[in-house]
Amino acid sequence: MKFLVTFSAVVMLIFLESCVSTRPIQYVQGQFDTAQLSQYVVREPVIQKADIITIVVYSDNTAATAIYNLANAGGYLVDDRGNIQFQGVGNLQVAGLTKPELSALLDSKLKAVLQNPYYSIRFVNFRITMIGEVIREGQFPVPSERVNILEAIGMAGGLTVYARRENVLVIREANGHREFARLD
């Protein structure tokens, strides 16, 4: 009896091994001009409706900045008109701005009352969604606010052996519109 179990396990292993693909899987194919790729400019993320952003205000007078940091525990939700209600300032139109542009807008509102103000601005809900022939489908938070396609695939555990690496669809939302691109 023990011999039969061992024998069937050996047969099963041989059977499984014969089903394994032996072709190499490449993520990056073709010739790449690394000098040209190093000149690629990454766009600054733009604040959009329904984004959640945190804004921490700093200045030379920490007591004076405290009022601007009171209501920021969970972040500011950008409403359907593109506004946030900023503590001590009121309504601010932020949709369509980058973080440096929002920093300049805050400067225009706070430089009169704060000495040397500066800001830490972050997207709280920056995330990507990976579906299709990846190991783990789902939504993944991106704490650094930037991700390239290889990092995104890595976050999802990689592509399955069935994935068509020459036909990867990337969908990006920008200014309320979806942009589509196919990658090889």
Side-chain angles (χ1 to χ4, degrees), residues 10-107:
V10 170
V11 170
M12 184 177 204
L13 287 175
I14 291 170
F15 176 71
L16 288 175
E17 189 172 26
S18 67
C19 292
V20 173
S21 171
T22 57
R23 72 181 173 123
I25 298 173
Q26 289 183 309
Y27 280 99
V28 180
Q29 302 170 8
Q31 297 286 355
F32 288 98
D33 181 358
T34 54
Q36 184 181 8
L37 287 175
S38 67
Q39 294 175 6
Y40 178 74
V41 177
V42 178
R43 294 186 312 193
E44 183 77 28
V46 175
I47 301 168
Q48 300 181 44
K49 296 173 184 173
D51 275 344
I52 301 172
I53 56 175
T54 60
I55 303 168
V56 181
V57 180
Y58 301 95
S59 77
D60 291 346
N61 184 345
T62 56
T65 61
I67 187 172
Y68 303 106
N69 296 322
L70 292 175
N72 196 23
Y76 295 97
L77 174 64
V78 181
D79 68 21
D80 58 348
R81 291 179 302 236
N83 300 318
I84 62 170
Q85 199 63 30
F86 190 72
Q87 178 74 21
V89 174
N91 206 33
L92 290 177
Q93 175 69 35
V94 297
L97 300 179
T98 62
K99 293 189 308 183
E101 291 169 339
L102 176 55
S103 184
L105 175 63
L106 290 169
D107 264 355

